[in-house]
Amino acid sequence: MYAQIVFPLPFRNSFTYSVPRLLEKDVKIGTRVVVPFGRRVLTGFIIALSESIDESSSGLADKSKIKSIRDILDDQPIFDSKMLEFYRWMSDYYLCSLGEALKTIVPYGTDVESKRKIVSDTEICRSLLAGEKNKNSLKAKILSALAEKELINISYLQKIIKNKNVYSILRDLEDAGAITILNEIADAKVRVKKARYVRIALPREAIYDLMPEIERAAPKQMLILLELLSSAEDKPAAEILKKTGSSSSALNGLVSKGIVEIYEKEIERTFKENYAEEMKDIVLSVNQRKAVEELKKSNGKFDVFLLYGVTGSGKTQVYIEIADEVVKSGKNVIILVPEISLTPQITTRFYNKFNDKIAVFHSRMSLGERYDTWRGILSGKYSIVIGPRSALFVPLKNLGLIVVDEEHDQSYKQSDMTPKYNARDAAVMLAKFNDCPVVLGSATPSIESMYNAQSGKYKLIELPERIDNAKLPEIKLVDVTIEKKKKKIEGIFSNLLLDEIGKRLEKKENVIILQNRRGFATQVYCDDCGEVITCTDCTVSMVHHISKNILQCHYCGNSMPVPKACPVCGSVSLKFFGTGTQRVEDELAFYFPNAKIERVDSDSISRKGALSEILNDFRNGRIDILVGTQMLSKGLDFSNVTLVGVVSAETSLWIPDFRADERTFQLLTQVSGRAGRSDKKGEVIIQTQNSKNFIFRKVIDNDYYGFYNEELELRRKGEYPPFTRIALVEIKDKNERRARAAANDFHKYLAMHKKTINISPPNEAIIYKIKGFYRYQILARSFRNQDPAGRLLRSAIFDALTEFNRLSRHKNITLIVDIDPQSIL
Ligand SMILES: Nc1ncnc2c1ncn2[C@@H]1O[C@H](COP(=O)(O)OP(=O)(O)OP(=O)(O)O)[C@@H](O)[C@H]1O
Ligand SMILES: [Zn+2]
């Protein structure tokens, strides 16, 4: 039997392996296997099985060269043939290999990787070294290292001789009998957790008979027995020993008498959310009921719905109702939410309804907790999975519905790793392959999704009103430049905002203050020469963090002490500029010394559980004011919040990116939507230096459609999505010249397609250097009417990649293709 295997690596073809007789009964399409690959051992996915192979077509010269599978990792498939079609689409659409697409199924840390070691015959190595004429040659260096040590890791060898190209020499040495290369499989990073459990091995009657004797001779054993008899369930050995204060010798005594047995049992690691809310009894409003009825019209078949419901319109309850219907019909549901660690509220509400039928994923879980939850899904334990973008790829069978909450959110885009998928768009495809409906919900739908709804591709459902007749908040704009002239601004706050905060504190109402930059001051510059202190590895300014009194780069994490003088001219008049959340918190504490203030940003909530605690305290009135970044704009539902303040609205508006307006509109509308969600009226004060920008009018008027229409025109003029399909190619290297040369090369190959697609010249990226890499970008686009599915665009890039890898002298640089990029910075 033969298996076709793909690897989570950039090569696109599959490889043929033979299946040893012993493993034949366990190999299945969709399982992971461990196989030799070149000189490594890798984990791959079986995508096909066959009894024989067609030697002419597989390009194999010799059947005897086919290697065999070593091991099978999964006892059941983690994907089926339908899923395989979906992952083929992913690899085709995002231009990655099938193996790279399949890798998204597997939770991080469960791969088996190879760690290779060399065992050397030091004698032979020494004599070979003596025979080397050039003692500075690479071979001589390798030999002298091997003559010293009998056992050495290849990676360590590469490090001490400062050269990676050791393989061909090592192969020669192995042929010469000087060394043996061992493949040692390093264990996966996560494994099933097991613990020793104790159970009673005799009938109770028999034990009662033995008791008097045990009590007399071994009182500790008696304590253990009583503990075991007191509960109906088996207990972990460690727990029993601790509880009875006895040592393991007492327990072993009972084992040797045959009274108890010790066995191994799997411990399931689960995450317990600290945040809790009571379950409300909810009767759907008329609009909610209508929405649910609309959704049910799909009859379980593929359909895409855009649920546009204003903030506080009760979208969550609509998801819960429809999910409940689907689960009752025997099918399963995936709910995607943005960066779930930030939204314990929505998970808690689902949890209250579905209890142990629901599996929750989020970034605060440990690897073990994730792995166990994942295996629980595979074994069919759960009907609903809720999580961030990666939850789309869980091995949940029999899918009946996908919900993407806050579909406009940027965090659905994978921006760090290949494939750079957008989980919202992938969700639509996954629903298509499974022939089930998908619901995209938002109070600020993305331009693309609304365009699809307007053009009839998606079905639009609206929730135009807030629950319980709550009104949308009243929004006021404060022009900081004008207020400064009138001397109506102190520090970073306008008098108006300070007054309003004061009023809320008196009334014991709550306040949310948004400033979308973390740190204290976002720029440090020299007042004499104008030098701005930037990161040594990135072309961005360093941010002052006051708690540790350091400057930190938010792109690479580099930090340094605050300099005493300008590094260029030596002047001591360094100025701190730009406002981060720490400074906002600091100033608020100055104006309102008696208020309880907490900060929510990625610095302050890094500790597990910190966010849940803060939100609990906020809900229970132990915190008056929350200050934070965009984290505060997402889905928070606290009825006592009556004021939202935005310190400076332009943090995202000035970013030179075609989505800057859209992002800013969404952020301001969403954060405003946290105010006035109950009978208490809400108010929002937005401070800006840019009051003329059109988006502010739209935010103030709660005019989503007005914003949409105006922005759509700008996109049409700028030739951006949804009118074009775009792809961003990033070429980067630590060597500036090489990066530029490679970008020019790639551009040359891509330009061969300039009849069908529109290609920008290779430009320096706006952030030219990140983590020491110089970055060049090429923006490619095709027009929707000529290339509706984006096929021309992708095939042009694919061809250029092939040519580049075949011909360019610079192919060793890093090249990243981003289809449908979220930003072009
Ligand atoms: N039919 C109902 N009757 C009473 N209360 C309801 C009803 N539906 C929802 N609610 C409550 O209304 C509040 C707002 O609902 P929810 O948080 O789902 O709004 P949302 O549309 O998701 O808003 P946002 O987009 O701002 O996150 C919640 O506290 C929820 O429990
Ligand atoms: Zn940096």
Side-chain angles (χ1 to χ4, degrees):
M1 196 187 245
Y2 296 92
Q4 291 298 318
I5 292 170
V6 293
F7 298 100
L9 294 168
F11 21 83
R12 275 156 218 279
N13 32 346
S14 66
F15 296 81
T16 307
Y17 283 83
S18 65
V19 182
R21 282 242 166 276
L22 259 177
L23 296 181
E24 271 187 9
K25 60 177 191 341
D26 296 325
V27 290
K28 291 178 195 104
I29 293 177
T31 51
R32 284 174 299 164
V33 288
V34 179
V35 298
F37 186 86
R39 302 200 153 212
R40 291 193 278 172
V41 174
L42 294 177
T43 306
F45 303 90
I46 300 186
I47 56 161
L49 289 168
S50 59
E51 278 312 320
S52 60
I53 40 166
D54 181 353
E55 282 176 56
S56 56
S57 73
S58 59
L60 288 160
D62 183 354
K63 237 185 187 171
S64 65
K65 288 227 175 95
I66 295 181
K67 292 182 183 161
S68 59
I69 291 173
R70 289 212 184 150
D71 204 355
I72 301 173
L73 285 182
D74 303 300
D75 51 10
Q76 57 175 315
I78 59 174
F79 58 87
D80 59 16
S81 55
K82 213 161 40 182
M83 290 294 98
L84 187 57
E85 286 315 301
F86 168 71
Y87 289 100
R88 279 192 204 282
W89 168 81
M90 281 254 291
S91 87
D92 184 53
Y93 189 85
Y94 291 109
L95 296 175
C96 65
S97 74
L98 179 57
E100 286 172 314
L102 287 168
K103 195 179 179 203
T104 56
I105 305 178
V106 184
Y108 169 77
T110 55
D111 275 4
V112 176
E113 284 158 21
S114 69
K115 229 189 216 163
R116 288 188 296 161
K117 286 200 164 107
I118 309 164
V119 184
S120 78
D121 187 323
T122 48
E123 287 286 290
I124 301 182
C125 288
R126 229 167 278 147
S127 69
L128 286 174
L129 179 61
E132 274 302 298
K133 284 196 200 86
N134 179 357
K135 297 282 188 263
N136 281 324
S137 73
L138 185 57
K139 187 169 178 190
K141 281 188 200 155
I142 293 177
L143 279 170
S144 69
L146 295 173
E148 293 298 313
K149 263 187 125 168
E150 234 171 63
L151 192 68
I152 187 169
N153 270 338
I154 291 191
S155 54
Y156 184 68
L157 175 72
Q158 289 169 322
K159 210 161 124 196
I160 52 175
I161 65 163
K162 298 195 178 71
N163 197 318
K164 291 228 159 182
N165 304 322
V166 295
Y167 293 102
S168 61
I169 294 172
L170 288 180
R171 231 171 289 143
D172 291 347
L173 291 176
E174 195 172 27
D175 289 345
I179 60 168
T180 316
I181 300 175
L182 292 182
N183 280 313
E184 240 179 53
I185 298 179
D187 270 325
K189 293 182 190 74
V190 210
R191 292 201 265 171
V192 174
K193 184 173 172 185
K194 293 204 169 132
R196 285 165 12 113
Y197 269 68
V198 188
R199 71 176 154 228
I200 293 176
L202 294 176
R204 287 200 173 219
E205 297 306 316
I207 292 179
Y208 293 146
D209 291 346
L210 292 170
M211 273 185 165
E213 169 62 17
I214 296 172
E215 184 164 28
R216 196 181 44 81
K220 283 280 179 199
Q221 294 185 3
M222 186 65 189
L223 282 180
I224 294 177
L225 261 188
L226 287 175
E227 182 63 32
L228 281 169
L229 287 168
S230 72
S231 115
E233 280 163 30
D234 300 349
K235 292 238 170 90
E239 187 186 318
I240 290 190
L241 295 182
K242 193 167 167 213
K243 224 170 169 179
T244 56
S246 29
S247 67
S248 42
S249 64
L251 187 57
N252 292 339
L254 287 169
V255 173
S256 62
K257 286 181 194 147
I259 300 173
V260 305
E261 283 170 355
I262 292 179
Y263 64 100
E264 287 220 315
K265 181 171 148 183
E266 184 184 343
I267 312 278
E268 197 180 327
R269 289 155 288 192
T270 48
F271 180 89
K272 264 252 141 296
E273 183 65 75
N274 298 324
Y275 183 80
E277 251 180 38
E278 265 154 45
M279 190 165 168
K280 279 197 235 169
D281 245 338
I282 287 181
V283 182
L284 289 190
S285 70
V286 176
N287 282 326
Q288 284 172 320
R289 171 74 27 226
K290 267 200 255 168
V292 172
E293 291 309 319
E294 264 323 290
L295 292 171
K296 284 203 313 209
K297 282 189 191 153
S298 71
N299 247 326
K301 298 276 174 235
F302 174 67
D303 232 331
V304 190
F305 297 95
L306 177 61
L307 177 63
Y308 162 43
V310 298
T311 54
S313 59
K315 293 183 285 295
T316 315
Q317 202 57 34
V318 173
Y319 306 146
I320 290 177
E321 293 292 321
I322 190 79
D324 194 34
E325 298 270 345
V326 174
V327 171
K328 279 187 184 138
S329 79
K331 295 206 161 180
N332 298 327
V333 181
I334 293 177
I335 315 259
L336 297 187
V337 291
E339 296 163 323
I340 195 167
S341 64
L342 309 176
T343 50
Q345 243 181 349
I346 183 167
T347 36
T348 302
R349 288 172 188 179
F350 270 92
Y351 207 86
N352 283 347
K353 172 85 186 182
F354 297 103
N355 300 312
D356 51 1
K357 268 193 261 171
I358 188 162
V360 182
F361 278 102
H362 53 72
S363 53
R364 289 164 300 155
M365 287 163 84
S366 67
L367 284 183
E369 286 162 354
R370 270 165 217 250
Y371 184 46
D372 289 358
T373 308
W374 184 82
R375 289 187 317 123
I377 294 168
L378 191 61
S379 69
K381 225 170 113 176
Y382 301 108
S383 323
I384 302 192
V385 175
I386 182 165
R389 59 171 186 250
S390 56
L392 186 67
F393 309 107
V394 294
L396 186 70
K397 287 168 203 124
N398 202 9
L399 199 58
L401 170 72
I402 307 175
V403 172
V404 185
D405 186 29
E406 313 287 3
E407 64 87 30
H408 64 278
D409 199 90
Q410 278 190 81
S411 72
Y412 287 124
K413 176 84 178 176
Q414 165 60 276
S415 51
D416 305 325
M417 277 187 286
T418 309
K420 293 195 154 199
Y421 63 86
N422 185 322
R424 177 204 49 213
D425 303 338
V428 172
M429 291 311 289
L430 184 63
K432 196 165 177 182
F433 282 105
N434 281 281
D435 195 18
C436 74
V438 53
V439 182
L440 314 178
S442 176
T444 50
S446 62
I447 298 287
E448 282 93 335
S449 293
M450 185 50 86
Y451 184 78
N452 281 330
Q454 297 294 341
S455 59
K457 202 170 149 196
Y458 296 172
K459 294 198 172 121
L460 183 64
I461 301 177
E462 297 191 41
L463 295 173
E465 280 158 24
R466 282 189 155 181
I467 288 293
D468 283 344
N469 287 324
K471 292 276 159 302
L472 285 167
E474 185 191 338
I475 305 175
K476 289 188 187 135
L477 205 61
V478 173
D479 189 317
V480 175
T481 329
I482 297 175
E483 295 302 286
K484 269 200 183 128
K485 280 189 196 132
K486 293 199 225 152
K487 300 239 176 329
K488 282 192 181 162
I489 214 158
E490 283 178 57
I492 54 179
F493 293 108
S494 60
N495 289 353
L496 177 67
L497 184 50
L498 286 178
D499 288 349
E500 292 299 329
I501 295 173
K503 283 185 205 160
R504 307 306 139 133
L505 292 174
E506 262 165 41
K507 284 196 271 182
K508 295 257 168 277
E509 292 173 355
N510 294 143
V511 179
I512 286 179
I513 302 288
L514 174 88
Q515 174 64 355
N516 202 17
R517 303 292 298 272
R518 62 197 172 88
F520 191 84
T522 53
Q523 234 183 41
V524 181
Y525 70 96
C526 170
D527 210 17
D528 280 326
C529 75
E531 173 77 7
V532 175
I533 298 184
T534 53
C535 174
T536 45
D537 293 335
C538 313
T539 42
V540 295
S541 50
M542 299 289 274
V543 175
H544 181 215
H545 283 247
I546 204 154
S547 43
K548 295 186 195 145
N549 202 27
I550 52 164
L551 300 188
Q552 194 190 43
C553 170
H554 286 183
Y555 278 81
C556 70
N558 268 352
S559 67
M560 61 194 229
V562 180
K564 301 221 159 40
C566 171
V568 173
C569 75
S571 156
V572 289
S573 47
L574 287 180
K575 285 264 153 52
F576 293 77
F577 180 79
T579 305
T581 44
Q582 290 181 354
R583 175 155 176 212
V584 176
E585 185 187 17
D586 210 56
E587 289 209 8
L588 276 175
F590 170 78
Y591 290 115
F592 305 104
N594 297 322
K596 278 157 284 171
I597 305 166
E598 275 293 340
R599 179 162 52 87
V600 174
D601 56 28
S602 53
D603 298 319
S604 76
I605 62 156
S606 54
R607 184 175 57 81
K608 201 173 172 173
L611 181 69
S612 297
E613 278 166 34
I614 293 176
L615 295 185
N616 267 331
D617 286 351
F618 194 50
R619 194 164 55 87
N620 295 325
R622 288 191 290 267
I623 295 172
D624 304 308
I625 307 177
L626 279 188
V627 176
T629 56
Q630 42 84 28
M631 291 182 173
L632 290 181
S633 70
K634 294 185 182 180
L636 295 185
D637 179 44
F638 294 104
S639 56
N640 202 33
V641 175
T642 55
L643 176 68
V644 167
V646 179
V647 175
S648 39
E650 33 280 323
T651 49
S652 56
L653 201 58
W654 283 343
I655 298 170
D657 190 283
F658 74 96
R659 283 189 218 270
D661 290 343
E662 182 181 10
R663 295 273 169 254
T664 311
F665 177 82
Q666 286 163 345
L667 176 65
L668 295 177
T669 305
Q670 291 286 351
V671 78
S672 301
R674 303 313 109 203
R677 292 168 77 93
S678 62
D679 44 354
K680 290 176 204 153
K681 203 171 142 297
E683 190 186 354
V684 180
I685 295 170
I686 298 175
Q687 304 188 150
T688 176
Q689 302 179 31
N690 259 54
S691 58
K692 296 220 166 56
N693 188 304
F694 83 96
I695 67 147
F696 289 115
R697 193 74 264 148
K698 308 298 173 192
V699 172
I700 291 172
D701 296 344
N702 280 303
D703 183 10
Y704 170 80
Y705 282 114
F707 163 74
Y708 167 77
N709 287 325
E710 205 150 317
E711 178 66 20
L712 200 65
E713 261 331 287
L714 294 174
R715 297 282 181 91
R716 193 194 305 273
K717 285 198 196 104
E719 300 181 340
Y720 282 113
F723 301 101
T724 55
R725 295 209 161 248
I726 59 175
L728 189 67
V729 182
E730 179 179 328
I731 294 123
K732 62 178 182 181
D733 198 77
K734 291 206 163 165
N735 178 315
E736 188 171 9
R737 244 192 20 228
R738 196 159 53 212
R740 192 181 318 124
N744 285 331
D745 260 9
F746 187 82
H747 183 260
K748 187 174 73 194
Y749 300 121
L750 193 59
M752 293 175 184
H753 300 267
K754 65 174 182 241
K755 283 217 181 76
T756 48
I757 64 170
N758 173 313
I759 305 157
S760 83
N763 291 317
E764 288 180 9
I766 291 165
I767 302 173
Y768 182 38
K769 193 167 81 168
I770 295 181
K771 295 183 189 172
F773 283 85
Y774 294 89
R775 307 165 67 231
Y776 282 84
Q777 289 177 337
I778 299 170
L779 187 66
R781 55 186 133 190
S782 63
F783 286 85
R784 209 172 179 118
N785 47 3
Q786 290 151 16
D787 185 19
R791 209 156 273 140
L792 291 176
L793 181 65
R794 292 196 305 275
S795 81
I797 293 175
F798 186 81
D799 288 351
L801 275 175
T802 315
E803 288 300 279
F804 179 77
N805 283 326
R806 202 165 64 88
L807 298 170
S808 175
R809 282 195 299 132
H810 308 288
K811 58 175 173 255
N812 290 333
I813 52 86
T814 309
L815 192 152
I816 302 161
V817 178
D818 188 355
I819 304 286
D820 305 333
Q822 276 298 302
S823 81
I824 51 177
L825 293 185

